[in-house]
Amino acid sequence: MSYTKKILEQAIAKNPHEPEFHQVMTEILSTLQPFVDSRPEYEKAGILERLTEPERVIMFRIPWVDDAGKMQVNKGYRVQFNSAIGPYKGGLRFHPSVCLSIVKFLGFEQIFKNSLTGQPIGGGKGGSDFDPKGKSEREVMAFCQSFMTELFRHIGANTDVPAGDIGVGGREIGFMYGQYRRLTNNIEGVLTGKGLAYGGSFVRAEATGYGLVYLVDEMLRHNGESFEGKTVIVSGSGNVAISATEKVQQLGGNVVAMSDSNGRIYDADGIDLDAVKEIKEVNRGRISDYKNYRPNAEYTEGKNVWDIKCDIALPCATQNELSGEDAKTLIRNGCFAVGEGANMPATLEAVEVFLKSKMMFAPGKAANAGGVATSSLEMSQNFMRTSWTFEKVDRKLKGIMADIYNNIATAAKEADCEGNFIVGANIAGFKKVADAMLQQGTV
Ligand code: NDP
Ligand code: 2IT
């Protein structure tokens, strides 16, 4: 039996009740199969057995007191998945759906993504089932401080460097960083996505969305296309969705739809991004408020964006938000390119539909790697005690995304799967980590 298949089955059996973790392992290991099975040194060294088992999982209690004086308790997680090529690196997610399966799926994906950036960063992820929605600023601060009161002993600038993800932005990073500093009496770049006033990097806030558009632009240009004059739909309206929309607009594309977990907006004249920023970043409101700014736009409750006619689709909200049926609808409506800003937004069925159709498809671990790549640039600046200009960081980000595109395109070609960037990204990401593990012996 194939080594890869055997380990996939074993890993699924060993980790029951973790559907998202099973899904990401299935996608990655099944595409790696021909590459890994033809190289017996990987089996001999037990590379896949080790890769699918996190180096360390930390789970903890987060007690905090709400505005009514009531004690609340949430679950906290940090999965330190793989440090073969550098300190664990990956975001923290605060969302009621967060559980071990989701943190492990994100941590596993992060190993390969971080490898693809070319930066020396390992894979990790964490978070909590805390829901920041509707909480006061004081409640969010109390929660973040309690979260860090346990997490601080497990992380460090050379050990594990968390950042933001869903529900964790500049505000939450600030509260957690302040608590880390107070507990350790140590000023170090232990988190990324920090404010510019205390060690943050220019472009980090925009990096995931900008990087996504840089990579998709690269993919389009290699196929004789561009964003100029194209109709684009974006799901979500958070950090990644907003910065992706901004960059598409700068490149001459027309973004006509965005969404949140309640519904979607459609604005044929092109999304007014200042309005979305005010609703989401200033008021922390709902996307339905968009109609107050643009009365001619349509808001549809309970609907996602995938049935809106477009040339290019950028899913930027969450995992499994785009089904096989949605994929078929997109293709039927003429969509010819998809770039994943979110982590695993397309289901396995949707990915299959995209690959069969031969449309351009950029998988998340390559397309959204600009965020963590810029986090690594933030770490470099912190170690050097310096700060680079916006233009310098943006230039580096653009270069990193172009390198990622070239590496995944080359790896796909070498595997006789030209244009299949899932295969390309998985092989290119895997190879560096596996080689580092081989060279480091039994660890
Ligand atoms: P934000 O919290 O800023 O925004 C998340 C957006 O997605 C919101 O519009 C939110 O709507 C929507 N959303 C979240 N969960 C759901 C759900 N279950 N159903 C429908 N909509 C949902 O997060 P980010 O923009 O940072 O993250 C978005 C995606 O990008 C995630 O998959 C994340 O893992 C990925 N990513 C983020 C990076 C970063 O640097 N921030 C880097 C790489 C990937 P609502 O407000 O209604 O919940
Ligand atoms: O999924 C991701 O890559 C992130 N949430 C960003 C991680 C980071 O460390 O910047």
Side-chain angles (χ1 to χ4, degrees):
M1 188 187 193
S2 142
Y3 166 57
T4 311
K5 230 174 153 179
K6 184 177 80 192
I7 299 307
L8 175 59
E9 282 178 14
Q10 268 179 22
I12 288 176
K14 271 191 182 181
N15 298 279
H17 317 299
E18 295 182 0
E20 292 85 2
F21 184 43
H22 297 174
Q23 183 181 338
V24 77
M25 285 195 297
T26 302
E27 185 239 280
I28 293 177
L29 295 195
S30 56
T31 53
L32 284 176
Q33 190 175 330
F35 181 79
V36 170
D37 287 354
S38 64
R39 289 165 178 77
E41 63 270 26
Y42 291 141
E43 177 168 12
K44 195 159 164 249
I47 292 294
L48 293 184
E49 291 89 322
R50 288 193 271 155
L51 253 183
T52 50
E53 193 64 50
E55 289 175 14
R56 195 175 296 109
V57 176
I58 300 144
M59 294 202 269
F60 50 100
R61 171 174 81 196
I62 311 155
W64 57 282
V65 177
D66 70 16
D67 284 348
K70 189 171 179 311
M71 174 68 74
Q72 301 284 344
V73 179
N74 285 97
K75 285 177 178 289
Y77 304 87
R78 186 73 184 166
V79 173
Q80 299 180 332
F81 226 118
N82 193 299
S83 58
I85 65 171
Y88 310 108
K89 184 83 198 83
L92 297 170
R93 177 178 292 190
F94 294 168
H95 191 273
S97 64
V98 167
C99 60
L100 190 57
S101 173
I102 288 188
V103 181
K104 282 171 73 176
F105 121 62
L106 290 163
F108 192 65
E109 177 83 351
Q110 199 85 42
I111 302 170
F112 303 91
K113 181 197 305 190
N114 292 3
S115 166
L116 281 176
T117 65
Q119 300 283 314
I121 41 179
K125 200 83 187 192
S128 171
D129 61 357
F130 174 75
D131 185 359
K133 268 195 213 105
K135 302 290 191 297
S136 70
E137 184 119 327
R138 193 210 63 82
E139 288 177 322
V140 171
M141 180 162 65
F143 173 81
C144 288
Q145 290 177 339
S146 184
F147 186 84
M148 188 50 83
T149 301
E150 174 56 37
L151 188 68
F152 87 96
R153 70 188 82 247
H154 307 290
I155 61 176
N158 283 305
T159 310
D160 182 356
V161 183
D165 194 81
I166 291 177
V168 178
R171 177 182 65 170
E172 291 75 21
I173 293 290
F175 292 152
M176 288 190 277
Y177 182 78
Q179 186 73 349
Y180 181 87
R181 194 167 55 73
R182 191 174 181 205
L183 287 164
T184 60
N185 195 27
N186 192 7
I187 310 296
E188 57 172 345
V190 69
L191 297 172
T192 57
K194 299 183 292 298
L196 294 175
Y198 62 94
S201 172
F202 282 111
V203 194
R204 176 60 191 90
E206 298 86 355
T208 309
Y210 280 18
L212 165 69
V213 176
Y214 292 150
L215 187 125
V216 172
D217 191 43
E218 200 71 31
M219 176 171 78
L220 292 171
R221 287 194 298 108
H222 277 86
N223 287 279
E225 284 287 356
S226 77
F227 273 105
E228 183 72 43
K230 300 297 183 307
T231 301
V232 181
I233 59 173
V234 173
S235 67
S237 46
N239 171 281
V240 180
I242 286 176
S243 46
T245 299
E246 185 166 277
K247 188 52 74 179
V248 169
Q249 291 179 341
Q250 286 172 11
L251 296 185
N254 185 27
V255 178
V256 295
M258 295 181 83
S259 63
D260 63 19
S261 57
N262 291 105
R264 68 134 191 254
I265 49 169
Y266 172 64
D267 189 341
D269 300 334
I271 294 287
D272 176 350
L273 199 57
D274 288 337
V276 175
K277 283 184 179 178
E278 187 167 304
I279 294 165
K280 289 291 170 182
E281 297 177 346
V282 181
N283 306 337
R284 296 183 184 273
R286 308 309 302 156
I287 202 71
S288 53
D289 297 344
Y290 188 79
K291 282 209 50 104
N292 303 335
Y293 295 77
R294 301 270 278 224
N296 290 335
E298 285 170 29
Y299 171 73
T300 319
E301 181 83 12
K303 236 181 153 181
N304 60 32
V305 296
W306 312 124
D307 63 331
I308 293 170
K309 195 169 159 45
C310 68
D311 301 307
I312 300 164
L314 303 176
C316 296
T318 193
Q319 67 275 354
N320 292 328
E321 57 167 317
L322 198 163
S323 69
E325 279 310 308
D326 295 329
K328 286 180 196 156
T329 306
L330 281 169
I331 292 167
R332 215 179 305 123
N333 284 337
C335 173
F336 62 79
V338 172
E340 294 186 321
N343 285 305
M344 205 168 77
T347 62
L348 289 173
E349 294 74 32
V351 170
E352 213 177 299
V353 172
F354 290 144
L355 293 181
K356 264 202 191 123
S357 78
K358 302 268 182 236
M359 68 141 55
M360 288 175 245
F361 177 68
K365 69 172 69 60
N368 71 39
V372 74
T374 307
S375 278
S376 181
L377 301 178
E378 181 173 331
M379 290 165 71
S380 300
Q381 291 167 77
N382 291 163
F383 282 122
M384 293 164 75
R385 296 199 186 285
T386 190
S387 174
W388 299 332
T389 61
F390 188 98
E391 291 69 28
K392 179 167 176 168
V393 181
D394 193 35
R395 209 165 43 242
K396 283 180 182 282
L397 170 63
K398 222 181 245 175
I400 289 171
M401 299 316 292
D403 288 346
I404 293 177
Y405 179 80
N406 289 330
N407 289 340
I408 65 175
T410 305
K413 215 173 183 173
E414 285 172 1
D416 274 336
C417 295
E418 192 167 355
N420 182 334
F421 299 136
I422 296 211
V423 168
N426 287 341
I427 292 179
F430 169 81
K431 199 173 170 310
K432 182 175 169 190
V433 178
D435 290 349
M437 290 171 74
L438 283 177
Q439 288 162 28
Q440 291 174 39
T442 314
V443 288

